[in-house]
mmCIF file of all heavy atoms in Angstrom:
data_model
loop_
_atom_site.group_PDB
_atom_site.id
_atom_site.type_symbol
_atom_site.label_atom_id
_atom_site.label_comp_id
_atom_site.label_asym_id
_atom_site.label_seq_id
_atom_site.Cartn_x
_atom_site.Cartn_y
_atom_site.Cartn_z
ATOM 1 N N ALA A 584 5.961 11.922 21.175
ATOM 2 C CA ALA A 584 5.121 11.545 20.029
ATOM 3 C C ALA A 584 3.651 11.585 20.394
ATOM 4 O O ALA A 584 3.237 11.208 21.511
ATOM 5 C CB ALA A 584 5.517 10.140 19.562
ATOM 6 N N LEU A 585 2.844 12.000 19.434
ATOM 7 C CA LEU A 585 1.390 11.893 19.553
ATOM 8 C C LEU A 585 1.031 10.457 19.189
ATOM 9 O O LEU A 585 1.408 9.979 18.093
ATOM 10 C CB LEU A 585 0.699 12.870 18.611
ATOM 11 C CG LEU A 585 1.055 14.350 18.800
ATOM 12 C CD1 LEU A 585 0.276 15.195 17.771
ATOM 13 C CD2 LEU A 585 0.815 14.824 20.195
ATOM 14 N N VAL A 586 0.341 9.752 20.054
ATOM 15 C CA VAL A 586 0.067 8.333 19.846
ATOM 16 C C VAL A 586 -1.407 8.170 19.446
ATOM 17 O O VAL A 586 -2.317 8.725 20.039
ATOM 18 C CB VAL A 586 0.333 7.555 21.136
ATOM 19 C CG1 VAL A 586 -0.039 6.097 20.974
ATOM 20 C CG2 VAL A 586 1.830 7.650 21.507
ATOM 21 N N ARG A 587 -1.578 7.346 18.407
ATOM 22 C CA ARG A 587 -2.924 6.973 17.924
ATOM 23 C C ARG A 587 -2.968 5.465 17.848
ATOM 24 O O ARG A 587 -2.029 4.855 17.408
ATOM 25 C CB ARG A 587 -3.194 7.619 16.577
ATOM 26 C CG ARG A 587 -4.572 7.374 15.995
ATOM 27 C CD ARG A 587 -4.776 8.119 14.681
ATOM 28 N NE ARG A 587 -3.930 7.599 13.630
ATOM 29 C CZ ARG A 587 -3.922 8.088 12.354
ATOM 30 N NH1 ARG A 587 -4.703 9.089 12.056
ATOM 31 N NH2 ARG A 587 -3.145 7.530 11.452
ATOM 32 N N LEU A 588 -4.114 4.882 18.231
ATOM 33 C CA LEU A 588 -4.263 3.419 18.134
ATOM 34 C C LEU A 588 -5.087 3.080 16.919
ATOM 35 O O LEU A 588 -6.197 3.604 16.751
ATOM 36 C CB LEU A 588 -4.923 2.867 19.404
ATOM 37 C CG LEU A 588 -4.276 3.193 20.740
ATOM 38 C CD1 LEU A 588 -5.047 2.471 21.859
ATOM 39 C CD2 LEU A 588 -2.811 2.789 20.747
ATOM 40 N N PRO A 589 -4.598 2.163 16.054
ATOM 41 C CA PRO A 589 -5.447 1.688 14.953
ATOM 42 C C PRO A 589 -6.555 0.838 15.493
ATOM 43 O O PRO A 589 -6.547 0.338 16.636
ATOM 44 C CB PRO A 589 -4.481 0.850 14.106
ATOM 45 C CG PRO A 589 -3.380 0.449 15.040
ATOM 46 C CD PRO A 589 -3.249 1.572 16.053
ATOM 47 N N ASP A 590 -7.602 0.661 14.695
ATOM 48 C CA ASP A 590 -8.765 -0.088 15.124
ATOM 49 C C ASP A 590 -8.441 -1.568 15.413
ATOM 50 O O ASP A 590 -9.099 -2.207 16.205
ATOM 51 C CB ASP A 590 -9.881 -0.029 14.089
ATOM 52 C CG ASP A 590 -10.413 1.380 13.934
ATOM 53 O OD1 ASP A 590 -10.337 2.136 14.899
ATOM 54 O OD2 ASP A 590 -10.923 1.733 12.863
ATOM 55 N N SER A 591 -7.413 -2.078 14.758
ATOM 56 C CA SER A 591 -7.063 -3.481 14.942
ATOM 57 C C SER A 591 -5.540 -3.629 14.736
ATOM 58 O O SER A 591 -4.970 -2.950 13.879
ATOM 59 C CB SER A 591 -7.797 -4.364 13.952
ATOM 60 O OG SER A 591 -7.255 -5.664 13.922
ATOM 61 N N PRO A 592 -4.920 -4.556 15.463
ATOM 62 C CA PRO A 592 -3.488 -4.822 15.187
ATOM 63 C C PRO A 592 -3.240 -5.376 13.796
ATOM 64 O O PRO A 592 -2.102 -5.374 13.316
ATOM 65 C CB PRO A 592 -3.096 -5.834 16.273
ATOM 66 C CG PRO A 592 -4.160 -5.721 17.310
ATOM 67 C CD PRO A 592 -5.421 -5.352 16.583
ATOM 68 N N ASN A 593 -4.255 -5.917 13.159
ATOM 69 C CA ASN A 593 -4.093 -6.487 11.811
ATOM 70 C C ASN A 593 -4.044 -5.393 10.795
ATOM 71 O O ASN A 593 -5.005 -4.630 10.614
ATOM 72 C CB ASN A 593 -5.293 -7.415 11.526
ATOM 73 C CG ASN A 593 -5.156 -8.107 10.185
ATOM 74 O OD1 ASN A 593 -4.312 -7.747 9.382
ATOM 75 N ND2 ASN A 593 -6.015 -9.064 9.954
ATOM 76 N N PRO A 594 -2.927 -5.214 10.055
ATOM 77 C CA PRO A 594 -2.855 -4.120 9.104
ATOM 78 C C PRO A 594 -3.921 -4.176 8.027
ATOM 79 O O PRO A 594 -4.288 -3.131 7.495
ATOM 80 C CB PRO A 594 -1.457 -4.281 8.515
ATOM 81 C CG PRO A 594 -1.036 -5.685 8.755
ATOM 82 C CD PRO A 594 -1.746 -6.053 10.063
ATOM 83 N N ASN A 595 -4.442 -5.359 7.696
ATOM 84 C CA ASN A 595 -5.489 -5.426 6.696
ATOM 85 C C ASN A 595 -6.746 -4.708 7.159
ATOM 86 O O ASN A 595 -7.556 -4.259 6.371
ATOM 87 C CB ASN A 595 -5.855 -6.884 6.375
ATOM 88 C CG ASN A 595 -4.830 -7.544 5.471
ATOM 89 O OD1 ASN A 595 -4.306 -6.903 4.566
ATOM 90 N ND2 ASN A 595 -4.539 -8.810 5.744
ATOM 91 N N SER A 596 -6.886 -4.585 8.489
ATOM 92 C CA SER A 596 -8.062 -3.928 9.011
ATOM 93 C C SER A 596 -7.870 -2.410 9.125
ATOM 94 O O SER A 596 -8.818 -1.709 9.458
ATOM 95 C CB SER A 596 -8.407 -4.476 10.386
ATOM 96 O OG SER A 596 -8.633 -5.868 10.332
ATOM 97 N N VAL A 597 -6.646 -1.959 8.878
ATOM 98 C CA VAL A 597 -6.394 -0.528 8.964
ATOM 99 C C VAL A 597 -6.959 0.170 7.740
ATOM 100 O O VAL A 597 -7.962 0.856 7.798
ATOM 101 C CB VAL A 597 -4.869 -0.231 9.123
ATOM 102 C CG1 VAL A 597 -4.652 1.278 9.255
ATOM 103 C CG2 VAL A 597 -4.338 -0.993 10.336
ATOM 104 N N LYS A 598 -6.299 -0.029 6.625
ATOM 105 C CA LYS A 598 -6.760 0.539 5.372
ATOM 106 C C LYS A 598 -5.916 -0.080 4.260
ATOM 107 O O LYS A 598 -4.817 0.427 3.963
ATOM 108 C CB LYS A 598 -6.637 2.047 5.380
ATOM 109 C CG LYS A 598 -7.362 2.711 4.205
ATOM 110 C CD LYS A 598 -7.358 4.220 4.376
ATOM 111 C CE LYS A 598 -8.146 4.909 3.268
ATOM 112 N NZ LYS A 598 -8.090 6.391 3.400
ATOM 113 N N PRO A 599 -6.356 -1.158 3.676
ATOM 114 C CA PRO A 599 -5.545 -1.787 2.602
ATOM 115 C C PRO A 599 -5.419 -0.818 1.417
ATOM 116 O O PRO A 599 -6.149 0.160 1.288
ATOM 117 C CB PRO A 599 -6.359 -3.036 2.237
ATOM 118 C CG PRO A 599 -7.752 -2.744 2.661
ATOM 119 C CD PRO A 599 -7.658 -1.842 3.854
ATOM 120 N N MET A 600 -4.491 -1.166 0.536
ATOM 121 C CA MET A 600 -4.298 -0.342 -0.640
ATOM 122 C C MET A 600 -5.565 -0.364 -1.476
ATOM 123 O O MET A 600 -6.277 -1.369 -1.549
ATOM 124 C CB MET A 600 -3.139 -0.881 -1.470
ATOM 125 C CG MET A 600 -1.782 -0.663 -0.859
ATOM 126 S SD MET A 600 -0.467 -1.025 -2.023
ATOM 127 C CE MET A 600 -0.694 -2.772 -2.267
ATOM 128 N N SER A 601 -5.818 0.755 -2.137
ATOM 129 C CA SER A 601 -6.953 0.799 -3.054
ATOM 130 C C SER A 601 -6.662 -0.080 -4.232
ATOM 131 O O SER A 601 -5.529 -0.476 -4.518
ATOM 132 C CB SER A 601 -7.176 2.259 -3.510
ATOM 133 O OG SER A 601 -6.076 2.668 -4.312
ATOM 134 N N ASP A 602 -7.720 -0.379 -5.015
ATOM 135 C CA ASP A 602 -7.528 -1.215 -6.214
ATOM 136 C C ASP A 602 -6.547 -0.554 -7.176
ATOM 137 O O ASP A 602 -5.706 -1.217 -7.782
ATOM 138 C CB ASP A 602 -8.874 -1.448 -6.907
ATOM 139 C CG ASP A 602 -9.810 -2.346 -6.087
ATOM 140 O OD1 ASP A 602 -9.279 -3.037 -5.197
ATOM 141 O OD2 ASP A 602 -11.021 -2.315 -6.325
ATOM 142 N N ALA A 603 -6.665 0.782 -7.292
ATOM 143 C CA ALA A 603 -5.774 1.479 -8.217
ATOM 144 C C ALA A 603 -4.324 1.397 -7.752
ATOM 145 O O ALA A 603 -3.414 1.216 -8.554
ATOM 146 C CB ALA A 603 -6.200 2.973 -8.325
ATOM 147 N N GLN A 604 -4.100 1.545 -6.435
ATOM 148 C CA GLN A 604 -2.748 1.403 -5.922
ATOM 149 C C GLN A 604 -2.187 0.003 -6.114
ATOM 150 O O GLN A 604 -1.029 -0.174 -6.498
ATOM 151 C CB GLN A 604 -2.723 1.809 -4.447
ATOM 152 C CG GLN A 604 -2.841 3.301 -4.216
ATOM 153 C CD GLN A 604 -2.920 3.619 -2.763
ATOM 154 O OE1 GLN A 604 -3.603 2.898 -1.997
ATOM 155 N NE2 GLN A 604 -2.283 4.689 -2.326
ATOM 156 N N SER A 605 -3.017 -0.991 -5.822
ATOM 157 C CA SER A 605 -2.547 -2.394 -5.976
ATOM 158 C C SER A 605 -2.181 -2.651 -7.420
ATOM 159 O O SER A 605 -1.171 -3.305 -7.745
ATOM 160 C CB SER A 605 -3.639 -3.322 -5.516
ATOM 161 O OG SER A 605 -3.861 -3.235 -4.146
ATOM 162 N N GLU A 606 -3.011 -2.168 -8.344
ATOM 163 C CA GLU A 606 -2.738 -2.373 -9.790
ATOM 164 C C GLU A 606 -1.444 -1.671 -10.169
ATOM 165 O O GLU A 606 -0.612 -2.226 -10.888
ATOM 166 C CB GLU A 606 -3.910 -1.808 -10.606
ATOM 167 C CG GLU A 606 -3.711 -2.037 -12.091
ATOM 168 C CD GLU A 606 -4.896 -1.509 -12.917
ATOM 169 O OE1 GLU A 606 -5.943 -1.161 -12.277
ATOM 170 O OE2 GLU A 606 -4.806 -1.454 -14.129
ATOM 171 N N PHE A 607 -1.221 -0.481 -9.613
ATOM 172 C CA PHE A 607 0.006 0.278 -9.933
ATOM 173 C C PHE A 607 1.227 -0.460 -9.415
ATOM 174 O O PHE A 607 2.249 -0.574 -10.075
ATOM 175 C CB PHE A 607 -0.082 1.664 -9.302
ATOM 176 C CG PHE A 607 1.173 2.503 -9.512
ATOM 177 C CD1 PHE A 607 1.360 3.191 -10.684
ATOM 178 C CD2 PHE A 607 2.138 2.577 -8.534
ATOM 179 C CE1 PHE A 607 2.476 3.975 -10.857
ATOM 180 C CE2 PHE A 607 3.266 3.321 -8.711
ATOM 181 C CZ PHE A 607 3.451 4.051 -9.878
ATOM 182 N N PHE A 608 1.114 -1.014 -8.208
ATOM 183 C CA PHE A 608 2.218 -1.712 -7.588
ATOM 184 C C PHE A 608 2.613 -2.965 -8.367
ATOM 185 O O PHE A 608 3.743 -3.353 -8.385
ATOM 186 C CB PHE A 608 1.889 -2.058 -6.129
ATOM 187 C CG PHE A 608 2.440 -1.082 -5.153
ATOM 188 C CD1 PHE A 608 2.108 0.250 -5.265
ATOM 189 C CD2 PHE A 608 3.299 -1.476 -4.161
ATOM 190 C CE1 PHE A 608 2.609 1.165 -4.354
ATOM 191 C CE2 PHE A 608 3.789 -0.557 -3.247
ATOM 192 C CZ PHE A 608 3.438 0.756 -3.341
ATOM 193 N N ARG A 609 1.600 -3.592 -8.987
ATOM 194 C CA ARG A 609 1.890 -4.831 -9.707
ATOM 195 C C ARG A 609 2.374 -4.602 -11.120
ATOM 196 O O ARG A 609 2.938 -5.484 -11.733
ATOM 197 C CB ARG A 609 0.602 -5.691 -9.763
ATOM 198 C CG ARG A 609 0.225 -6.276 -8.393
ATOM 199 C CD ARG A 609 -0.788 -7.363 -8.557
ATOM 200 N NE ARG A 609 -1.148 -7.967 -7.276
ATOM 201 C CZ ARG A 609 -2.248 -7.617 -6.601
ATOM 202 N NH1 ARG A 609 -3.034 -6.695 -7.071
ATOM 203 N NH2 ARG A 609 -2.543 -8.163 -5.440
ATOM 204 N N ALA A 610 2.140 -3.388 -11.628
ATOM 205 C CA ALA A 610 2.473 -3.124 -13.017
ATOM 206 C C ALA A 610 3.918 -2.676 -13.141
ATOM 207 O O ALA A 610 4.378 -1.842 -12.342
ATOM 208 C CB ALA A 610 1.563 -2.034 -13.585
ATOM 209 N N PRO A 611 4.669 -3.164 -14.145
ATOM 210 C CA PRO A 611 6.046 -2.702 -14.328
ATOM 211 C C PRO A 611 6.058 -1.244 -14.789
ATOM 212 O O PRO A 611 5.149 -0.814 -15.496
ATOM 213 C CB PRO A 611 6.601 -3.612 -15.407
ATOM 214 C CG PRO A 611 5.402 -4.070 -16.170
ATOM 215 C CD PRO A 611 4.298 -4.156 -15.167
ATOM 216 N N PRO A 612 7.055 -0.439 -14.354
ATOM 217 C CA PRO A 612 7.157 0.910 -14.870
ATOM 218 C C PRO A 612 7.228 0.919 -16.391
ATOM 219 O O PRO A 612 7.982 0.162 -16.982
ATOM 220 C CB PRO A 612 8.469 1.434 -14.228
ATOM 221 C CG PRO A 612 8.693 0.527 -13.014
ATOM 222 C CD PRO A 612 8.109 -0.802 -13.430
ATOM 223 N N SER A 613 6.454 1.759 -16.992
ATOM 224 C CA SER A 613 6.293 1.729 -18.440
ATOM 225 C C SER A 613 7.513 2.293 -19.154
ATOM 226 O O SER A 613 7.987 3.394 -18.862
ATOM 227 C CB SER A 613 5.073 2.577 -18.830
ATOM 228 O OG SER A 613 4.942 2.640 -20.219
ATOM 229 N N GLY A 614 8.064 1.483 -20.066
ATOM 230 C CA GLY A 614 9.092 1.948 -20.968
ATOM 231 C C GLY A 614 10.454 2.191 -20.352
ATOM 232 O O GLY A 614 11.276 2.840 -20.924
ATOM 233 N N VAL A 615 10.673 1.698 -19.107
ATOM 234 C CA VAL A 615 11.991 1.939 -18.497
ATOM 235 C C VAL A 615 12.525 0.629 -17.947
ATOM 236 O O VAL A 615 11.798 -0.328 -17.712
ATOM 237 C CB VAL A 615 11.879 2.972 -17.353
ATOM 238 C CG1 VAL A 615 11.409 4.301 -17.878
ATOM 239 C CG2 VAL A 615 10.926 2.489 -16.268
ATOM 240 N N LEU A 616 13.797 0.608 -17.764
ATOM 241 C CA LEU A 616 14.444 -0.563 -17.140
ATOM 242 C C LEU A 616 14.078 -0.632 -15.675
ATOM 243 O O LEU A 616 14.220 0.336 -14.946
ATOM 244 C CB LEU A 616 15.969 -0.439 -17.288
ATOM 245 C CG LEU A 616 16.804 -1.515 -16.637
ATOM 246 C CD1 LEU A 616 16.529 -2.867 -17.312
ATOM 247 C CD2 LEU A 616 18.274 -1.190 -16.677
ATOM 248 N N ALA A 617 13.629 -1.752 -15.194
ATOM 249 C CA ALA A 617 13.266 -1.886 -13.783
ATOM 250 C C ALA A 617 14.429 -2.425 -12.995
ATOM 251 O O ALA A 617 15.265 -3.163 -13.482
ATOM 252 C CB ALA A 617 12.074 -2.806 -13.667
ATOM 253 N N ARG A 618 14.446 -2.058 -11.678
ATOM 254 C CA ARG A 618 15.544 -2.468 -10.808
ATOM 255 C C ARG A 618 15.239 -3.745 -10.082
ATOM 256 O O ARG A 618 15.266 -3.805 -8.875
ATOM 257 C CB ARG A 618 15.837 -1.340 -9.821
ATOM 258 C CG ARG A 618 16.364 -0.088 -10.501
ATOM 259 C CD ARG A 618 17.070 0.762 -9.529
ATOM 260 N NE ARG A 618 17.767 1.823 -10.264
ATOM 261 C CZ ARG A 618 18.692 2.609 -9.770
ATOM 262 N NH1 ARG A 618 19.063 2.439 -8.529
ATOM 263 N NH2 ARG A 618 19.280 3.528 -10.480
ATOM 264 N N GLY A 619 14.864 -4.773 -10.744
ATOM 265 C CA GLY A 619 14.631 -6.033 -10.053
ATOM 266 C C GLY A 619 14.291 -7.117 -11.023
ATOM 267 O O GLY A 619 13.912 -6.884 -12.168
#
């Protein structure tokens, strides 16, 4: 494996989700039955 070290062991310091991704993750799928 090619090994790369992140800047910090804390995943928040790596690259958190963008605002758009966070909003998408929190929103229920539109017009369909959700699995949870």
Side-chain angles (χ1 to χ4, degrees):
L585 303 180
V586 176
R587 182 177 68 179
L588 304 184
D590 294 333
S591 167
N593 182 350
N595 283 322
S596 301
V597 181
K598 192 173 184 182
M600 290 190 296
S601 66
D602 291 342
Q604 285 175 320
S605 294
E606 182 178 351
F607 177 83
F608 263 57
R609 290 195 180 97
S613 176
V615 297
L616 176 66
R618 293 200 170 194

